[in-house]
Amino acid sequence: VQLQASGGGLVQPGGSLRLSCAVTGSIGGIQDMEWYRQVPGKQREYVGRITEFADTFYAESVKGRFTISRHNAENTMSLQMSSLKPEDTAVYYCRSYAKDSSLGAIYLWYWGQGTQVTVSS
């Protein structure tokens, strides 16, 4: 199982950006999917989660501005970010609790590489 995050870039404060996370490989199943972000020199920060039943949970810092969705038929997840602030600048990572069918019936957390989001005028 591999994850690929995309969609990062430079956006002005107050603007919007949509990130995507694609899960590929020998997928035997996908349960929860999450977004994290990290600023250099700081710990990786939880952004939000979407369960296999499409229930969503968000960090207080992004609640009301960010929306997570998933597209099960395509094995993808999106992060719609609005009203962006300079403090949202970070490398954004996705991860998924998934089953690699080549490894049997075990679910593991898989991380994708990050995508840079810069909020600046």
Side-chain angles (χ1 to χ4, degrees):
V1 171
Q2 299 86 40
L3 275 70
Q4 176 86 31
S6 61
L10 173 65
V11 62
Q12 292 189 338
S16 299
L17 201 62
R18 186 179 183 90
L19 305 183
S20 295
C21 176
V23 185
T24 60
S26 303
I27 302 168
I30 301 173
Q31 294 185 1
D32 292 2
M33 303 181 75
E34 297 180 329
W35 287 99
Y36 283 75
R37 63 187 182 186
Q38 188 169 25
V39 175
K42 293 190 176 182
Q43 279 194 322
R44 196 165 290 189
E45 176 189 23
Y46 167 82
V47 173
R49 166 184 284 209
I50 185 164
T51 71
E52 61 182 312
F53 306 110
D55 296 318
T56 53
F57 305 89
Y58 300 95
E60 283 298 321
S61 58
V62 307
K63 196 175 291 185
R65 300 187 298 120
F66 290 11
T67 302
I68 300 173
S69 59
R70 64 189 290 167
H71 319 284
N72 292 332
E74 300 167 356
N75 294 323
T76 60
M77 170 179 64
S78 297
L79 177 65
Q80 177 67 46
M81 304 183 292
S82 303
S83 302
L84 283 162
K85 307 174 182 180
E87 51 263 44
D88 294 318
T89 295
V91 177
Y92 283 70
Y93 297 88
C94 58
R95 76 168 186 166
S96 176
Y97 197 59
K99 181 170 61 175
D100 188 321
S101 58
S102 68
L103 299 178
I106 300 172
Y107 275 84
L108 298 171
W109 284 104
Y110 293 88
W111 285 94
Q113 94 298 343
T115 185
Q116 175 71 46
V117 172
T118 303
V119 184
S120 175
S121 55

